[in-house]
Amino acid sequence: IMDGAMTNCLFAHGIIAVTADLNVRFRHPVELLVPLEVTAMIVRNTGPLFSLEAKLTQGGMLKAKAAAKFMEAPAPLAKKIEESSYQQEVE
């Protein structure tokens, strides 16, 4: 979930990138059937490498956090990802 949130954060900034490194730190168990919130933000942009952080909270308590590095996708791969994303939206 946090990897997806960080990827979507990059997409929202017009950046198509793939996960290069992901570290997740679980702090507390996540409760089933209880809403949770996931946030992500870019902490460093040294293009073509991006560092992001994400947090998963539930009931105001931090349940897990992640730090990741993303590598900007080369043009041919970026085009495939964009096309795939567009097809999923249409279906």
Side-chain angles (χ1 to χ4, degrees):
I1 292 172
M2 291 183 289
D3 182 52
M6 290 184 279
T7 301
N8 282 320
C9 178
L10 289 168
F11 285 170
H13 287 89
I15 302 163
I16 298 176
V18 294
T19 309
D21 181 51
L22 174 64
N23 294 294
V24 179
R25 181 85 175 171
F26 297 98
R27 300 174 60 95
H28 299 283
V30 174
E31 297 177 48
L32 296 177
L33 305 175
V34 176
L36 53 87
E37 181 178 323
V38 181
T39 57
M41 63 186 278
I42 299 170
V43 294
R44 188 173 309 130
N45 174 355
T46 56
L49 190 65
F50 299 86
S51 296
L52 284 86
E53 291 180 352
K55 294 180 182 177
L56 190 148
T57 57
Q58 192 174 48
M61 179 184 284
L62 178 64
K63 299 286 186 155
K65 61 182 181 176
K69 292 180 182 160
F70 289 78
M71 181 65 71
E72 193 165 9
L77 178 58
K79 185 175 180 178
K80 281 185 178 182
I81 293 170
E82 258 184 326
E83 289 170 356
S84 173
S85 177
Y86 175 74
Q87 284 181 344
Q88 288 177 1
E89 288 177 10
V90 173
E91 295 172 353

